[in-house]
Amino acid sequence: MRKDALLKTTLAAAFAALVLWGGLPLLHHRHHDFPIVKGPGVTAVLRLSDFSPGLKGTAGDTAIYVLQGREPGGKALVMGDSHSNEPEGMLSAVVVIENAVVQKGTLYVIPVFNNSGSRNTRPGDGYPLYFDIAADWGKRRFRFGNRDASPLDQWPDPDVYIHYPDRQLLSYVDIRNTNRAWPGRPYGALTERVTFGAMELMRREKIDVAIDIHGAETMYPVTNCIVAPESSVKIATLAALTVKAKEGFESHVEPSPAGFRGLSHREIGDHGPSLPFLIEAPIPFLDQPTGPKTTKLLLDGKDPFLLSLSKKKMLFVPYDESGWPLEKRVGQNLSVTLEIFRQFSKKAADRPIAVTGVPRYAELVKSGVGRFLADPSKAPAGGVVMN
Ligand SMILES: [Zn+2]
């Protein structure tokens, strides 16, 4: 009898130890905040709950960095981390916040748009919880999240997701996908309150241009591109042609399908004043047939299985031994963003958006992302915001 009890106690203790060993890193990741340094152009930091009160005190609330220009002009919104397993969007936004000086107009930057998703992970795929970017002075650590908001923040999922307000039927899991929850509503699901906050920001501040930065698989046809609806397709085309001619990289234009609801590039233009653009850079980490999902693959984009598929012409982008490194992805995003601002300013001369200090593609490829990240320990008092 005593032997039996001892065995049961030992097994229960071993089980509890396994739960703690597996669970504590996830708990730490969920509560890990990372710093963003307020760069020379940041004039205010707002919260998304200022525009969507239903987000107050929830994991959906997130910081909005305002960079008001020296002269008046047009207004633009830049969003990263709509999908928190596509970090080149978030990093592009951080580089803008820490480096940009706005000469004309105003920028609003939301680096961690899907804050709940950035505190989620995909253990079945062995996702890393963090990744580090090396800089001359040390390194910066960022959370690596998942595509969807965490079920700890939004649960249960419905059997079928009925999109608001179009009532289109979508996959159940897409209710936790911020890029299927546009234009949102003030007291809907968490993801709907998040997109509603951004819609309210665009409506109240009369934002001209909204850029949602993503990454996509090399085996997915909508990759390495700018997705634009009818209203913004002309500016997108001019931006695509200009970066190709002047900077030598491809980013073609994909039309936003009118019948597919809930996406930023469709709903932003249909429900507010802004011209929407969604930018995709290829991210090999997201492809299914790769080796282990390591931070190395996330950063350098080099994978032998994709290389062999590339030789069989099964990828939608050129791919060789050099992979598709992070600096190339962030560089493309920044150049395309700056080019959209420039093309918009040419079209709307009374609402110019002029930004200096943001590096372009060639500078990123040459120097890496870390070269454009500030050292939080050197920032003045009050100069760092935890995200
Ligand atoms: Zn995405």
Side-chain angles (χ1 to χ4, degrees):
M1 198 61 197
R2 267 184 59 201
K3 226 171 130 185
D4 210 31
L6 186 68
L7 180 69
K8 282 179 183 169
T9 312
T10 311
L11 283 175
F15 180 72
L18 269 175
V19 167
L20 282 176
W21 179 73
L24 282 176
L26 299 179
L27 184 72
H28 182 258
H29 172 258
R30 182 167 163 79
H31 295 282
H32 175 89
D33 292 336
F34 67 89
I36 294 181
V37 178
K38 285 197 246 172
V42 175
T43 50
V45 181
L46 308 175
R47 302 289 297 173
L48 200 55
S49 57
D50 298 340
F51 301 89
S52 180
L55 286 178
K56 213 155 202 107
T58 72
D61 203 3
T62 192
I64 307 169
Y65 296 77
V66 185
L67 291 80
Q68 190 169 1
R70 295 172 175 168
E71 292 175 41
K75 294 181 174 180
L77 169 65
V78 176
M79 293 170 279
D81 246 13
S82 273
H83 293 144
S84 308
N85 55 348
E86 299 161 8
E88 42 282 284
M90 179 267 292
L91 289 167
S92 304
V94 172
V95 169
V96 170
I97 293 165
E98 298 190 351
N99 295 275
V101 175
V102 180
Q103 305 297 341
K104 292 176 187 171
T106 305
L107 283 189
Y108 297 81
V109 186
I110 307 180
V112 190
F113 188 65
N114 184 1
N115 186 37
S116 168
S118 78
R119 296 169 192 277
N120 191 11
T121 185
R122 204 179 293 185
D125 279 12
Y127 268 25
L129 297 175
Y130 310 93
F131 63 96
D132 295 331
I133 305 284
D136 298 341
W137 47 264
K139 64 179 183 190
R140 285 272 290 272
R141 170 156 287 196
F142 296 94
R143 280 193 308 277
F144 184 66
N146 195 6
R147 184 176 170 86
D148 308 307
S150 170
L152 293 171
D153 302 316
Q154 184 176 319
W155 186 258
D157 296 333
D159 288 338
V160 175
Y161 164 35
I162 303 169
H163 173 261
Y164 175 85
D166 287 281
R167 302 195 63 79
Q168 186 170 65
L169 303 184
L170 295 166
S171 163
Y172 75 97
V173 77
D174 273 336
I175 198 164
R176 284 188 285 116
N177 178 347
T178 49
N179 203 27
R180 297 294 181 278
W182 293 92
R185 49 183 157 177
Y187 296 101
L190 187 75
T191 45
E192 291 177 310
R193 282 176 270 157
V194 168
T195 55
F196 176 79
M199 285 306 314
E200 277 295 284
L201 166 70
M202 288 182 258
R203 288 187 283 246
R204 283 190 219 168
E205 299 298 324
K206 300 189 171 46
I207 288 181
D208 301 286
V209 169
I211 301 178
D212 183 17
I213 310 180
H214 287 250
E217 296 88 337
T218 62
M219 296 185 77
Y220 182 60
V222 186
T223 192
N224 214 27
C225 63
I226 311 169
V227 189
E230 309 75 13
S231 57
S232 41
V233 77
K234 208 167 161 183
I235 290 175
T237 307
L238 289 167
L241 291 171
T242 311
V243 295
K244 187 169 185 190
K246 285 194 179 166
E247 302 185 53
F249 69 86
E250 195 83 43
S251 185
H252 69 278
V253 176
E254 286 280 341
S256 161
F260 190 10
R261 308 310 307 193
L263 293 114
S264 62
H265 51 75
R266 170 51 46 196
E267 308 290 354
I268 284 175
D270 288 4
H271 294 272
S274 318
L275 297 174
F277 302 86
L278 187 148
I279 308 177
E280 301 270 19
I283 165 169
F285 181 96
L286 291 185
D287 280 293
Q288 283 303 322
T290 67
K293 302 292 187 192
T294 59
T295 48
K296 185 182 174 301
L297 173 60
L298 180 65
L299 298 182
D300 69 15
K302 289 182 189 171
D303 182 80
F305 299 100
L306 291 183
L307 193 59
S308 71
L309 288 169
S310 163
K311 286 171 186 155
K312 294 180 180 130
K313 307 218 177 307
M314 292 178 79
L315 308 186
F316 287 90
V317 291
Y319 192 88
D320 60 23
E321 283 76 7
S322 64
W324 208 288
L326 182 72
E327 51 270 24
K328 204 167 145 174
R329 283 133 54 190
V330 173
Q332 287 194 190
N333 291 339
L334 291 172
S335 277
V336 170
T337 299
L338 292 171
E339 203 48 48
I340 289 171
F341 292 165
R342 206 174 71 86
Q343 295 298 339
F344 170 78
S345 307
K346 276 166 79 178
K347 189 172 154 272
D350 56 328
R351 291 185 67 78
I353 301 166
V355 180
T356 53
V358 177
R360 298 189 85 111
Y361 177 73
E363 291 171 88
L364 262 298
V365 169
K366 180 168 166 260
S367 310
V369 179
R371 163 72 186 75
F372 303 99
L373 296 178
D375 181 353
S377 70
K378 297 269 162 53
V384 170
V385 179
M386 298 307 286
N387 294 260

